[in-house]
Structure formats: C-alpha cells, structure tokens
Amino acid sequence: GNSEGGSGGGGGEVGSGGGHSDSQFESLNDFMETNKSAGIMHSNTTTAPSQQLKTTQKNDNSISTSPNNRNQLSKFEIECRLKAQERQRQALAKGEPQIAAGRLFTGATSFTPKPTKIEFLDFEIGKKYKKKLVLTNVSLTFNSFKILDLPDNIRDFFEIKYSKPGRMSAGTTCTIEIIFKPQIKEDFITSLPFLTETGPCSVPIFCYIQKVLPSIQNDHINFGEVIMGEIKTMKIVIKNSGCLPCSYEIFDMNEHENTSSAMSIEQKGKGLPAKQVQSELTDHSMNEEGDVDEGSQSALSIDTSQSHPGQKEAGPSSPYQSEMATAMAIEIEAQTKAEAIILQEAEKVASSALSYPAGCGAIQYESKGYLDSYSETHHSITFAPLSAEYYHKNIAIRFKSGNGNNNDDIIIPLGITGKCELFPVYVDEPIVDFRMVVHDKLYRKKLVLCNRGKIAFKVQAVVPKELAGYLEFGPDMGFVQPGVKFEIGIKIKPSLGLLNACRSISVVGNPPKSFVVEGSDIIAVPIHILVPKQAVPVFFTLKCQITSGKIKIGPTSDINFGLCYTTETLIKKLDLINQSSLPQKYGFVNLVNEIDVQPNDGFGVLLPHETKTLNVLFSPKISNYHYNFNLDMRTSMGDVYHIPVKGIGCDSPIELSHSLIQFTPTSVNHHQFDETENNNDGGGSDDGMKESIIMTNSSKTETYLFEWGIPYAKLSGLIISPKVAKLKPGQQVRIEIQFKPKMIPPNPLDKEEEEGGDQIQEVATTPTKEHNELQKETNEDNEGDGGGGDEEGGGGGQVVEGEKDEDDIIEGDDELALNEEEKKMRGERSPKKEEDNMDHFEDIPIEIGQISHSSLDEPWSVHATWNLPCIVKNADSDELFEGPPIYLVVKTVLIERVLEVSSTSLDFGELAVGQVKVMPLMITNHNENGIETTLSASGLNSLGPFSILSALRPIKPKSQNLHGQHQIESSPTPSTIMVKFAPEAQGIRQESLTLHSASLGASLHIALRGDGVSPNLTIDPADGKIDLGHCLEMDSAESELTLHNASVFPLTFKLVPVGDPSLNFNNQSPFSIIPSEASVLPGADLKVFFQIL
C-alpha cells in the first residue's frame, strides 16, 4: 500500500472497483501485482513516470542477469511484460470512458476544482502562503484521482497536504491544502496535474510578485467629426490592478520609433501654418492664380509705347525708354514684394484664430499622471482641430516600474482618430480688391458670404472705428441660409484721411498696427465679420491703392508769348505732371485758330506719375493785337483745367526769302571732289554742302544790324556767313549756309552699352592721330565760324540790291563797328555756345533743334532740324528790336557712307626692327546704283615703313540678280588691301593713308601706326660653349642652354648646326636639340636641352 499523506499518494486501491469486471481494472491489478513481484515499492514522494519506467527496466535487467533467481524470466517474457506495462501506462494516461446505467460520461473533467484557479498574489520571499482546493467528483459513478508531480524548477516551492479519500462516489469532495514558500522573486504560472480514471486534469496556479498591473478600458479613441475651431474632449480609464503605485507618461509612438517621421506627425498634430490653413479654407472659392497678384500688377502694367516711332516725344522720358522700362520693372517688383508683405500681415490677423498655442496641436493631452495601487483614473484627451483633414495618431502610455530599470516599464499602445470638418460660414473672396481708387470718389463692391452648414447663421459686418466715415456696409446684418450666398454691399470713399487712419488700426483686440505699404499708398486692412454661433471668426481683407486724380501744370500757371511776328510761330513748353498712380487721358479742346498744341494735336495719355512736356504753338494772324484767352484741357477723370494764354502780334523788320532749308542727304566727312582742282594740293574741296537765302530789309526808313547764331555748331555741322551784317532800308543780302558734318550724333538707345553713356561717336573709333587731327580741325573751323565767318564766309555775303558800302557787310576778322551796347546785345541775345557740353544733347530745347535716329528696320540715317536765330538791332539807336529773334529752319540728313572701310586706323603694335608685319584692310562699296569704282592711294611716304602690297583692284557694288519673277539683292563683296609695316629703325611711326574714288567722289582716310623695337635675346652660358663630356658607345649625355628674352615682345628662335657633324653608323646625327625651334615670351626664360647618343 501507499504511505498516508504523501504528495504523490493515490486514492486507495484503484483496482478494487465495486462489482466491475472491467478489463482496465484487471490489467491494473496485473500491473500492481507485477510491480510487487518485481519488488517496486511506492515512497511518500511521487516518482515521475519516466523514472518509474527506468527503475522497472533496471530491476528487470537485474532479474534477468541474476543467476540465483529461481523465477528467472526469459527474454521473450521480459519483452511481453514491458509491452504490457507500456499499454497499461498509455491506458492510465488516456483514461477510460465511464458508463453508468447505460449513460456515457461526456464531461471535460470528472473532478471540478473550487476555486478554478489558485492565485498567490503579491507574494514576498521568506513568507508562507496557504490555499485550499476542493475537488468534487462530478462523474456518473465512483471515481478516484492521483496527484502527479509539479515541474522540477518549482517543486521545492510547494507543499501539498490532503487526506486520501480513496474511491469517491459521485458528488463527494476532497479538500487539498497547498502551501507556497517562494524562494526567488519571479512570477510563476504552472498547474497542479491530476490523473483520474476518466483521464488527466489540472488546476492552474498563478504566483505573482508585488508589481504594477496597469490596463486601459479601450485601446482606441474615435472623436468622429468635429467642426474646425470647436473642441471635443474624451476620457480614457486607466486602471492599476497591482499593489504598487506608479507614475505614467503618454508619448507619441511614431516619434519614439522614427525621428524622421516625427516632423510630419507634429505638423498633423499641431496643424498647418496659418497662411496655409487660410488658403486651404478658401481653395474651393478662390482662383488658383490669385486675385492679389492680378490686382497688384493691373494698375501698374501699362503700355509705354505711346509715342510715334519716327517722332521724338517731347518730354524727358522719351529718350530713355529702355531705362524707364528697367526702372519701372524694378519699381513694380519692389511694390509687389511690399504688397505681399502687407497682405501677409493682414492674413496673420485672420489666421491668428487658426493657429495653435505654443507647444499644442490638434490632439492635446497631459503627458504625465499618477496611479495609486488598486485604483483607476480618468485621463482627458482633447481634439481641437484647425485644419480640415483626417487625423490619426498613435500614442502609448508608459508605466514606470519604480525600480529604475526602463526595461521593466510597461507600455500600452493607444490609437486616436478624428475628422475635422470645415466651419460653415466663409467668405467667397478673402481679398476684396478695389484696385486703384481716386480721392473723393465713391466705389462699390459686393462681399459674398457662403454657408456650407445645415442651419442658418447670423452674420454682422462691423466697421472699425478708425474707418468710420470712409467705409460702409449695406446691409450690415443678416442670416446666411444653408447653400445660399449672402451679399453685403461695400461702399468706400477714399481720401488722404483714410490713408492716415490705416496707419494705426486695432483689429479684434489686437494692438494697433499699420496696414499701409511703407513708402506707398496701398492699404490692406483685415475686416472682421461677426458670426455668433461659429467658433472660427470670419475675416476678409480690404485692399486698395489710394491715389490722387490731379494733373499738375507747369512750369507756370499761365503762358505769356510776348511779341510774336505774324510770319512766325512761337513755341512755349507746357509740363503736364500726372500726380496719380493711374494713367490719364488728356485733350485740349475748343482751341482758337492762333493756338496749336503738339504732339498729337494736344491729345495723349499720361502714364502714372509721368511728366510730359507739350509744345504750345502761337501763330498770330493780326499785327499789333493783344491776344488774351484760356487754353482748356479735359482729362479722363472728369476734371477741366483752364490755362491763361497771352500774346501780342507784330510785323517782322527783316524778311527771309526762305524760312526752311533742306540739305540733301550726305555722309560724315563727305568731301566734294573737283576734277579741275590741283590734286597735288590736297585732292579735293572740303567745303561740304552749301545753300543760300536772301535777307531783305522791309523797312523804308530804318537801318538794321543782324547777327546769326549757330547753336551746337560742332554737333550740327552748320556754318553760316556772313554772321553779322548791316541792311539799309530796302537793301538785300545773300546768306550762305554750309553743312559740313564731322561727327555722328550718338543714339540714346545705345547709351546703355557705352561706358558712361556720354561719349559722342566720332568718325575714328579709336583715339588715333587722325582722330586728333580731325578734332583739331573741327575746333579750328568752329573757332573761325564763331568770329563772324572765315574768308570764304566773308566773301559769301553779297548785296543784291542797293549800293555796296564798307559799312554794309561786316566781314571775317575785321573789328565790328559795334559799340558796347551792341556787344552786350550779342552776348545776351545770341545763343550760348553749348557745343563744348555734349553730355546731354538729347535735352536740346525743341525751339533750338531736334535730332532723331532711324529705326532698326530702316537704312541707317540721322535726321536733324535746327532753328538758327537771327538777332536784329536798329543801327541808328542803341536799343534792340522789341520783337523776338528771327528763326531759319535748317534740316539735315546723315546717311551711311558709300565707301566703308573695316577700320579707320591700323595699329601694328611693337615689331622688331628688320621684321615684317602685314595687316588686312577691307573696303566695301555700298553704292546702290551699281557703279564699280577703283581707288587711288596717296599720303604714304615712299621711303617710309608703311606700304601697300596688293594692287588696288575695282570694287564691285551690290549686285541684283533676277530669279524667276523675284529680284534678289546680294551683299557687296569687300575688297581686301594688304598693308605692310617693316620698321628699319627704332621709334614710333605714324602715317595717314588716303584712298580716293573718282567715280563716287568720296575719300577714305586711314591712320597707320607702328612701333619699331630692337630684339634682345641672351644665352647662358654667355660664350655659347656646351661641353657634353666623354660618352661611351650606346650611352648618352645631356646638358642645357638657357635663353632669356629681355625684349617687351615675344621672340621666335631656331637652332641650326653650323657645320656637318659626324654621323652614327645608322646615318643619324649623334646630337639632339630639344626644342630646336620655339618662341620665348617677353621677360621669360626657356631651357634648351642638348643630348648626345
């Protein structure tokens, strides 16, 4: 039998079933009998089945091997017994179905434990804990159980005590006492195994140390749909089932796992920037291109091409169209940036309600908390979205273990989701742009409010107190129905006070702030629309540019022409200054017959802040009549300006046969060639082109002195003679006007490309000797002309009618018979000599002259118009004539040369004495009449260093070929002349080459220059001896020679042997020179290597 109270003791004689003849019990009796016969006894401690099997096998082996055992079994019997034991063991482990009264027991287990699990919670090492377990037989009939061993690792921690009940009838119980003595601080989860007649069963055992046992009620929180700006709060239940208190913290799992993704989660949690939020809210109603940019540029993007292509616009801006365009582009860009900045400031006010507090986002919660033992807490999580989107955030709760080891912390994940819906009431256009508004004019526009909600909302438009009197809403209150647009009228009457008021405006409790673009008159003010039932406030930005609509007239408020001859027209300048940022059309209406306004007959457009100068022309019809009337100008702004005009008509004392002289087109430095003149003396006449007029003294009693003035003589190229003369009553004199151009007036459009933009384009492109001589000649001509005319000019004046006296014509350099008053008259009334100041020739007054260049699609030409004044004085008195000067209009045209040379100067630079340098000179015949020309050369010294190598062949002009029905014009083929420079001595050499065409009557002057220098090349060693030493056969030796160029120009050298050295057996020279030919730079050294092989 088994020992009583053993932990592995069975429940009595298992095989003594009451009246059962079951095979299981027979085999079990056989099994027990076999064990007894083998001498196997059960101890108080239960032995594991594997150990029992090993013991049995050992005993069997000992029985089979013992020679003294009379009951020795055979090998076959031992195998049969082992098989029977294995079958019995499997049958016991599996159990046997129980049948009682014809019913089959189908329960999961035949013994039910109470409690169903054994828990030793919050145990401490060294203490003893007891638990009782009650087993109840729930099978159909008698049953028994056997407690099996616990696992080896925890067997020593448990002690099991109970009274063996033996075979238990159905419904009976057995109490088992379990004593737990923990030795290590660890959690144990195991089970107490039982072996019954119907099969095995077990009772789970849980042993937990003192710890924190946190849990949450839900692992996911869904806020659902929340309207933007509103706040929704939900609570999570956090429970601690352990005996230890703990602190906890909530953190973002994505930030904990991946730092790179934390930024995107933070942006989603904290919302988007205010400007982006505002733009997203209005994307459904705004144009993607943006009304702001369109409005900021519409008032400034004005076509500047107002003037006629061939006409010089009167005004300071017309000659600088490219500069004006660049300046306007820079100004527009700066103003656009300033507008963008002020719009951002206005948007910040509107988006301040859509920005999160510092450190907060759409999902807000306290990041830390404390949880006591065996308690629970409610932690609040707030969802306050400010961006219309779907939010999803994964967070986790970390419970601190309290032992300082983070690895023991407990982390419970929690998911948060929510969706943000747009607020219902919004403005259809967040920026109400009035564009450009003018002072004291009323402007209207509509503000459209939309409702995407499901109920009606009340709205109210409130005018800021600073804008009272300038801004008005109508209606200012209403209800916006769902899906219906509500319109509010905006009326604004701008003035200078509105601009000042916008410099300090307080919006929705914010501190006063300026909403004016600095340095401009543009405002962008945020206006608040009250919606009481909506969390997010509604704003719109009122933007406009305030400007004046006035035009300032200058330089004076009235025009006084004074005396004006009935045969002439006086011109006065009238400046129109547009003080508005808008373009204005203007027009002079109801003009009298004596008045004309140019250009464009007094009609035009003033660009924003543009100053335009007009010419008011006064042509009196009646002599000795005082004119007094108003010049009326109307603008597109509806304003009318009255300009007083005064003038007196009078008769002219001297009459001109022609008031206009038109010279035929010519080229610069064009020389009229005369075949009859002696070519040895210069080859042609340099008089230029001449025209003449007749001046007549129309008075019958008065004798007049006159003097002609030539403004900008160097630029105009005009010479007049005689400049001073005396006319008796009825006397006439012939005046000769000569046109001899010496320079090309520069084009203002090319001014940007020139350095300084002030230079006058001379005939020679480089400052050569010829250029200096030409300039000197021009100055001498001007000085001669300014003294009253040269010998030619003095001889040009002839008295046509009347007697010719010495006092009639005042010529050349003779002393003028003028007193101090007459000299004063000449100094005051004569035009100033401004030819020395050519920096701003485009600012020539229109009453003096006008220059215009041809367009790019036309042949090159320069057209000029000059008004030559003639001052008249009474010869019998010391008083000047009361009337204004008499003017003669001279028109000139400069065209492209017929003969064109590639360069008017050839500079050969520095060249060694004895060397030769050749440079090409290309000449083109631009004659359109098909005339082929041959040039003749002169001006070169036959013994000088310069000479012409090539023959002067005929130069063909442009050729015209017929191709089908079309005429094709080919470009002229230039002729190339090779010019040689061969200096025979040191020094600078300069000569002038003249090429003359007799058929075209034109000449070309080319300045030639060259500098002869001596070469200076030294060697090291100076004696020129290079000793390579002794050298064995098939061996080599090397030495070097240094060449130094002491000249200021490169030198080319070549090393050649003087004699014939001995050759090797392979017929090759044993000496090698590297390099044998090269060029040495100025001041540089070059090493030459000598080698023997």
Side-chain angles (χ1 to χ4, degrees):
N2 294 331
S3 300
E4 185 177 357
S7 61
E13 295 287 337
V14 180
S16 60
H20 290 283
S21 59
D22 203 337
S23 60
Q24 176 183 359
F25 292 100
E26 293 175 358
S27 60
L28 182 58
N29 293 331
D30 295 340
F31 174 73
M32 299 298 296
E33 291 295 331
T34 304
N35 291 339
K36 290 179 181 181
S37 62
I40 301 175
M41 302 298 293
H42 292 280
S43 62
N44 292 336
T45 304
T46 305
T47 305
S50 60
Q51 296 177 355
Q52 294 176 3
L53 179 60
K54 293 179 181 179
T55 305
T56 304
Q57 292 178 352
K58 183 177 180 181
N59 294 334
D60 292 341
N61 294 333
S62 63
I63 292 174
S64 60
T65 56
S66 176
N68 299 325
N69 193 351
R70 298 178 180 179
N71 297 328
Q72 185 177 4
L73 299 177
S74 64
K75 183 178 181 179
F76 175 74
E77 290 175 338
I78 294 175
E79 291 180 355
C80 291
R81 188 181 66 179
L82 293 177
K83 291 180 180 179
Q85 291 176 353
E86 182 66 24
R87 287 194 302 269
Q88 181 67 19
R89 195 163 34 249
Q90 292 179 0
L92 291 175
K94 183 179 180 182
E96 188 174 303
Q98 187 184 69
I99 300 175
R103 291 191 306 165
L104 177 64
F105 177 69
T106 59
T109 177
S110 57
F111 286 89
T112 301
K114 184 180 181 182
T116 58
K117 61 180 179 178
I118 301 173
E119 293 181 335
F120 294 97
L121 303 178
D122 305 327
F123 68 83
E124 296 181 10
I125 299 176
K127 291 185 179 182
K128 183 185 295 186
Y129 301 91
K130 297 181 180 180
K131 290 285 185 180
K132 288 186 177 182
L133 177 67
V134 179
L135 293 179
T136 304
N137 183 10
V138 294
S139 62
L140 300 178
T141 183
F142 288 96
N143 205 339
S144 61
F145 69 89
K146 180 182 179 181
I147 299 177
L148 302 179
D149 289 341
L150 293 173
D152 295 340
N153 58 338
I154 61 174
R155 182 183 302 174
D156 297 335
F157 303 155
F158 292 93
E159 182 181 354
I160 301 173
K161 294 182 180 181
Y162 69 100
S163 298
K164 296 181 180 179
R167 297 192 68 207
M168 301 172 60
S169 60
T172 59
T173 61
C174 177
T175 301
I176 301 174
E177 183 180 8
I178 302 175
I179 301 174
F180 176 51
K181 296 179 180 180
Q183 301 298 325
I184 59 176
K185 192 175 182 180
E186 289 184 3
D187 292 340
F188 303 103
I189 299 176
T190 183
S191 61
L192 181 63
F194 296 92
L195 183 62
T196 66
E197 296 177 7
T198 57
C201 61
S202 63
V203 177
I205 300 177
F206 299 94
C207 303
Y208 296 111
I209 64 175
Q210 294 182 355
K211 61 173 60 178
V212 178
L213 295 178
S215 62
I216 59 175
Q217 188 175 11
N218 295 319
D219 59 354
H220 183 267
I221 298 177
N222 186 10
F223 284 94
E225 295 182 355
V226 178
I227 297 178
M228 183 185 298
E230 296 183 357
I231 299 175
K232 186 176 181 180
T233 302
M234 297 184 69
K235 296 183 178 181
I236 58 173
V237 179
I238 304 176
K239 185 177 180 181
N240 182 12
S241 301
C243 68
L244 296 180
C246 68
S247 61
Y248 63 89
E249 63 176 358
I250 302 177
F251 63 92
D252 194 332
M253 293 184 62
N254 293 339
E255 293 180 354
H256 180 71
E257 294 175 359
N258 189 0
T259 307
S260 61
S261 63
M263 186 173 296
S264 62
I265 296 175
E266 182 181 359
Q267 290 178 355
K268 181 177 291 185
K270 292 186 178 181
L272 299 174
K275 182 177 180 181
Q276 187 173 351
V277 171
Q278 183 71 7
S279 61
E280 286 186 357
L281 299 181
T282 56
D283 276 346
H284 63 281
S285 60
M286 286 184 60
N287 189 349
E288 293 182 357
E289 296 178 357
D291 296 334
V292 178
D293 294 339
E294 179 183 356
S296 62
Q297 295 183 5
S298 61
L300 298 174
S301 57
I302 302 171
D303 186 13
T304 58
S305 58
Q306 299 291 339
S307 59
H308 192 273
Q311 178 181 3
K312 178 181 178 182
E313 186 78 8
S317 62
S318 58
Y320 305 100
Q321 293 181 357
S322 59
E323 289 96 340
M324 287 291 295
T326 304
M328 183 173 291
I330 296 175
E331 182 180 356
I332 291 176
E333 182 180 0
Q335 186 168 349
T336 303
K337 291 181 180 179
E339 290 182 17
I341 293 174
I342 198 66
L343 285 175
Q344 289 178 358
E345 295 296 329
E347 289 177 359
K348 286 181 181 179
V349 177
S351 58
S352 60
L354 298 177
S355 60
Y356 297 98
C360 297
I363 300 176
Q364 305 171 7
Y365 47 82
E366 292 290 338
S367 60
K368 294 182 179 180
Y370 184 79
L371 193 61
D372 204 353
S373 59
Y374 302 108
S375 63
E376 64 180 28
T377 184
H378 297 268
H379 198 93
S380 299
I381 297 180
T382 302
F383 183 46
L386 294 178
S387 177
E389 58 180 307
Y390 178 78
Y391 290 85
H392 176 74
K393 192 171 186 179
N394 293 323
I395 64 175
I397 306 175
R398 178 187 285 112
F399 297 90
K400 300 291 185 178
S401 61
N403 56 6
N405 188 1
N406 294 332
N407 296 328
D408 296 337
D409 294 348
I410 301 175
I411 298 177
I412 301 178
L414 177 63
I416 303 174
T417 58
K419 184 179 181 182
C420 178
E421 297 289 341
L422 290 172
F423 49 86
V425 179
Y426 63 94
V427 291
D428 191 22
E429 294 182 0
I431 299 178
V432 179
D433 193 356
F434 280 87
R435 308 296 174 89
M436 197 81 64
V437 294
V438 182
H439 289 172
D440 302 327
K441 296 187 182 294
L442 184 63
Y443 295 88
R444 300 173 184 267
K445 206 164 187 179
K446 293 181 179 179
L447 175 66
V448 179
L449 299 176
C450 302
N451 183 6
R452 50 178 161 238
K454 298 180 180 179
I455 61 174
F457 283 86
K458 178 184 176 181
V459 295
Q460 183 178 2
V462 180
V463 178
K465 61 181 181 179
E466 294 86 357
L467 304 183
Y470 307 107
L471 182 64
E472 183 180 351
F473 294 103
D476 58 353
M477 190 272 291
F479 290 86
V480 186
Q481 301 298 326
V484 179
K485 294 183 178 181
F486 183 75
E487 295 181 351
I488 297 179
I490 303 177
K491 293 191 296 183
I492 181 174
K493 191 173 183 181
S495 65
L496 189 59
L498 174 61
L499 191 64
N500 296 330
C502 293
R503 299 187 187 277
S504 178
I505 294 182
S506 177
V507 181
V508 195
N510 293 327
K513 192 175 184 179
S514 175
F515 294 96
V516 181
V517 177
E518 185 176 357
S520 177
D521 50 6
I522 301 175
I523 64 173
V525 183
I527 306 297
H528 184 204
I529 303 296
L530 296 178
V531 184
K533 294 184 178 181
Q534 180 171 294
V536 177
V538 178
F539 285 90
F540 75 93
T541 302
L542 176 65
K543 177 180 176 295
C544 64
Q545 182 174 357
I546 306 174
T547 182
S548 173
K550 300 299 181 181
I551 294 179
K552 182 179 179 181
I553 299 176
T556 58
S557 59
D558 59 347
I559 302 176
N560 189 358
F561 287 96
L563 293 175
C564 179
Y565 301 128
T566 56
T567 58
E568 294 183 353
T569 300
L570 287 184
I571 301 175
K572 288 287 186 178
K573 288 185 178 181
L574 183 66
D575 295 334
L576 301 182
I577 304 173
N578 185 8
Q579 297 179 334
S580 174
S581 298
L582 286 173
Q584 294 192 62
K585 295 180 180 180
Y586 65 89
F588 290 85
V589 297
N590 303 326
L591 299 179
V592 297
N593 295 332
E594 289 80 4
I595 287 293
D596 188 16
V597 182
Q598 293 298 331
N600 301 327
D601 296 331
F603 291 88
V605 178
L606 281 174
L607 299 180
H609 304 289
E610 181 188 12
T611 299
K612 184 175 289 188
T613 301
L614 304 182
N615 298 317
V616 181
L617 290 76
F618 177 52
S619 303
K621 307 297 182 183
I622 306 174
S623 178
N624 298 326
Y625 181 78
H626 293 262
Y627 292 90
N628 191 355
F629 51 87
N630 288 330
L631 186 62
D632 297 335
M633 182 185 71
R634 294 181 179 271
T635 66
S636 56
M637 294 290 183
D639 298 330
V640 180
Y641 299 87
H642 303 284
I643 305 170
V645 179
K646 297 179 180 179
I648 303 174
C650 61
D651 294 327
S652 175
I654 296 179
E655 296 180 357
L656 302 180
S657 60
H658 298 83
S659 60
L660 173 65
I661 293 179
Q662 177 75 53
F663 282 99
T664 57
T666 185
S667 61
V668 177
N669 279 345
H670 177 73
H671 300 281
Q672 298 290 337
F673 191 81
D674 190 358
E675 294 288 349
T676 61
E677 295 186 8
N678 186 5
N679 293 336
N680 295 330
D681 296 336
S685 173
D686 197 22
D687 290 343
M689 307 182 69
K690 297 180 180 179
E691 295 289 347
S692 62
I693 61 172
I694 303 298
M695 296 183 63
T696 305
N697 185 355
S698 59
S699 176
K700 297 181 180 180
T701 59
E702 300 292 338
T703 300
Y704 294 107
L705 287 172
F706 68 86
E707 180 182 0
W708 286 99
I710 303 179
Y712 301 94
K714 184 185 300 184
L715 184 63
S716 64
L718 297 177
I719 301 174
I720 189 170
S721 62
K723 296 183 68 175
V724 179
K726 180 189 295 184
L727 289 179
K728 295 180 179 180
Q731 188 179 7
Q732 296 180 343
V733 65
R734 184 174 68 90
I735 304 299
E736 188 177 82
I737 300 95
Q738 181 181 2
F739 178 46
K740 188 169 61 174
K742 294 272 180 97
M743 63 178 57
I744 301 175
N747 193 341
L749 297 179
D750 300 335
K751 191 174 182 181
E752 296 177 355
E753 302 177 1
E754 299 181 4
E755 197 174 311
D758 311 347
Q759 302 297 327
I760 298 297
Q761 181 180 356
E762 301 287 349
V763 176
T765 57
T766 57
T768 61
K769 179 180 179 181
E770 183 204 19
H771 169 74
N772 297 331
E773 294 176 354
L774 179 62
Q775 189 72 18
K776 181 178 179 181
E777 180 184 356
T778 304
N779 295 336
E780 291 175 354
D781 292 342
N782 292 334
E783 291 175 0
D785 296 339
D790 52 11
E791 294 180 359
E792 294 177 356
Q798 299 179 4
V799 178
V800 180
E801 295 182 3
E803 185 179 359
K804 179 178 178 181
D805 298 330
E806 293 180 358
D807 297 336
D808 295 340
I809 306 298
I810 304 176
E811 299 180 356
D813 297 332
D814 298 336
E815 290 293 335
L816 297 178
L818 299 177
N819 53 23
E820 293 297 330
E821 186 66 26
E822 293 171 348
K823 294 181 181 180
K824 182 179 179 181
M825 179 268 292
R826 292 180 57 186
E828 292 181 355
R829 300 295 297 270
S830 299
K832 296 180 180 179
K833 292 185 178 181
E834 301 179 1
E835 58 270 14
D836 294 335
N837 184 13
M838 307 299 294
D839 294 341
H840 303 285
F841 75 93
E842 62 271 13
D843 296 333
I844 298 175
I846 191 172
E847 63 268 14
I848 299 299
Q850 184 177 0
I851 299 177
S852 62
H853 289 72
S854 59
S855 59
L856 297 178
D857 55 349
E858 297 177 348
W860 182 88
S861 62
V862 179
H863 298 257
T865 301
W866 302 100
N867 299 324
L868 306 184
C870 178
I871 301 174
V872 181
K873 176 189 175 183
N874 196 323
D876 299 333
S877 63
D878 295 336
E879 297 180 357
L880 298 176
F881 190 77
E882 295 181 355
I886 303 172
Y887 286 93
L888 173 65
V889 180
V890 179
K891 293 186 177 181
T892 61
V893 179
L894 287 178
I895 59 176
E896 192 175 8
R897 291 185 178 183
V898 178
L899 286 179
E900 180 184 4
V901 65
S902 59
S903 177
T904 57
S905 64
L906 291 180
D907 191 353
F908 290 86
E910 294 179 343
L911 189 64
V913 176
Q915 294 186 0
V916 176
K917 185 176 182 180
V918 179
M919 295 183 67
L921 190 65
M922 303 179 67
I923 301 175
T924 306
N925 183 4
H926 292 284
N927 180 29
E928 298 182 355
N929 298 327
I931 300 177
E932 187 179 52
T933 183
T934 302
L935 300 179
S936 61
S938 62
L940 295 181
N941 186 359
S942 58
L943 300 178
F946 299 99
S947 61
I948 299 177
L949 297 181
S950 57
L952 300 178
R953 304 182 184 277
I955 304 175
K956 296 182 179 180
K958 297 180 181 179
S959 60
Q960 296 180 352
N961 301 323
L962 291 177
H963 182 74
Q965 297 180 354
H966 302 281
Q967 185 175 358
I968 301 177
E969 183 178 289
S970 62
S971 300
T973 302
S975 177
T976 303
I977 299 177
M978 307 305 295
V979 182
K980 182 182 73 173
F981 175 56
E984 298 179 354
Q986 298 185 22
I988 299 176
R989 301 293 183 264
Q990 292 183 354
E991 293 187 18
S992 179
L993 173 63
T994 301
L995 300 177
H996 176 68
S997 172
S999 58
L1000 298 179
S1003 300
L1004 297 174
H1005 301 274
I1006 302 95
L1008 306 179
R1009 183 185 184 279
D1011 187 4
V1013 294
S1014 297
N1016 188 0
L1017 183 67
T1018 61
I1019 61 175
D1020 185 20
D1023 55 359
K1025 294 181 180 181
I1026 299 176
D1027 188 5
L1028 298 178
H1030 299 283
C1031 184
L1032 298 177
E1033 185 179 358
M1034 302 304 295
D1035 198 358
S1036 63
E1038 184 178 299
S1039 182
E1040 64 181 25
L1041 173 69
T1042 303
L1043 301 180
H1044 176 70
N1045 182 10
S1047 305
V1048 294
F1049 54 90
L1051 289 180
T1052 303
F1053 70 92
K1054 183 177 182 181
L1055 296 176
V1056 294
V1058 177
D1060 296 330
S1062 301
L1063 302 179
N1064 290 332
F1065 291 110
N1066 56 0
N1067 292 328
Q1068 299 293 331
S1069 175
F1071 296 100
S1072 299
I1073 304 175
I1074 302 173
S1076 62
E1077 183 177 356
S1079 180
V1080 186
L1081 298 177
D1085 295 337
L1086 180 65
K1087 292 185 178 181
V1088 180
F1089 296 93
F1090 293 84
Q1091 186 178 20
I1092 183 172
L1093 178 62

